[in-house]
Amino acid sequence: MAEAARLAPDLKRPTWIIAKTQTAARGRQGRVWTHPEGNLAATLLMRPGGPVQEAALRSFFAANALYEALALYVDRTKLGLKWPNDVLLSGGKVAGILLESTGSAQGVDWLSIGIGVNLTHTPEDVRDASFPPVALSEHGDVVTPETFLNALAANIATEEAIFAELGFAKIRDNWLKRAARLGEVITARTSRDEITGTFESVDALGNLILRTPKGAQVISAADVYF
């Protein structure tokens, strides 16, 4: 992501960046992301245009693309998408997505879609995780980062085309078909409170919808637990 930010001012076309190792990997909210060699750390740098809110919706098509790429190497019934940006494999976290962008009220200047996938190694220094990390190789095939990125990039291109032609509604529908615990009771922890309810849907802005005794609760940012 840091390299993407460095390259962004001179970007002429969508560009993938892949790292064999990282010394300062990070996830959402500045959390540490462990990346041993053999796992995938890649960022797609692009200039999508449009408003910031629309650019942020690309995390959902990135999740769809990740799901399909992983399904080439493992039984897809073991996979699930966890709102807002994780992929689960047999209940553990196998992949994560991080978006960063710059822009103004007029639109996005550039967008980075960072993706980390535990392909061959399970991080050992992650403690007290609600969704312990797992590696693809523990449940399916062994695949190199380069080979996996080829599959992922192809699926990302397909998702971008769907987004352009059919809009977020189609991306959202496909994401919900793969969503973990849809229709079940989950808990969302925001910076201010904790909300427990039935995972009802995701709305047109990508917000999580929980059905609670107080009615539908719309959640724009939170960590989800179940």
Side-chain angles (χ1 to χ4, degrees):
M1 300 296 275
E3 180 67 3
R6 187 184 71 82
L7 295 175
D10 300 318
L11 180 70
K12 298 296 188 294
R13 60 183 182 275
T15 301
W16 279 99
I17 303 165
I18 185 172
K20 289 187 176 180
T21 60
Q22 290 188 102
T23 57
R26 66 183 188 275
R28 287 180 65 237
Q29 300 176 348
R31 293 167 180 154
V32 173
W33 176 273
T34 301
H35 174 232
E37 188 169 355
N39 288 349
L40 176 76
T43 296
L44 173 59
L45 178 61
M46 60 191 303
R47 293 187 184 277
V52 173
Q53 255 187 346
E54 181 179 283
L57 295 176
R58 283 175 167 81
S59 66
F60 289 90
F61 82 44
N64 286 341
L66 256 177
Y67 182 102
E68 290 302 323
L70 286 163
L72 293 172
Y73 306 103
V74 71
D75 181 353
R76 68 173 54 237
T77 63
K78 296 181 179 180
L79 297 167
L81 301 180
K82 184 173 81 71
W83 188 91
N85 56 6
D86 291 339
V87 183
L88 303 181
L89 171 57
S90 295
K93 181 174 176 178
V94 70
I97 301 163
L98 177 66
L99 267 61
E100 291 182 352
S101 65
T102 64
S104 64
Q106 284 68 47
V108 172
D109 182 19
W110 57 265
L111 172 71
S112 291
I113 304 175
I115 295 173
V117 185
N118 298 327
L119 294 176
T120 58
H121 300 290
T122 302
E124 298 178 351
D125 57 350
V126 179
R127 297 178 177 85
D128 301 323
S130 298
F131 300 89
V134 297
L136 176 64
S137 60
E138 297 172 356
H139 299 269
D141 297 342
V142 175
V143 57
T144 67
E146 293 79 8
T147 297
F148 187 84
L149 182 57
N150 284 336
L152 176 60
N155 279 289
I156 287 272
T158 297
E159 293 290 323
E160 178 71 37
I162 292 171
F163 193 46
E165 292 296 323
L166 303 176
F168 179 64
K170 182 61 176 176
I171 298 295
R172 170 185 169 275
D173 287 348
N174 289 341
W175 188 94
L176 286 169
K177 291 174 184 176
R178 303 166 174 130
R181 301 299 179 95
L182 183 65
E184 298 182 22
V185 174
I186 64 174
T187 296
R189 294 177 186 166
T190 71
S191 58
R192 293 179 299 176
D193 53 18
E194 182 175 293
I195 303 168
T196 297
T198 301
F199 177 13
E200 190 168 88
S201 189
V202 168
D203 69 14
L205 298 177
N207 298 316
L208 177 68
I209 307 298
L210 293 187
R211 177 65 57 179
T212 74
K214 297 180 180 179
Q217 302 291 310
V218 180
I219 301 166
S220 59
D223 288 321
V224 166
Y225 301 87
F226 43 74

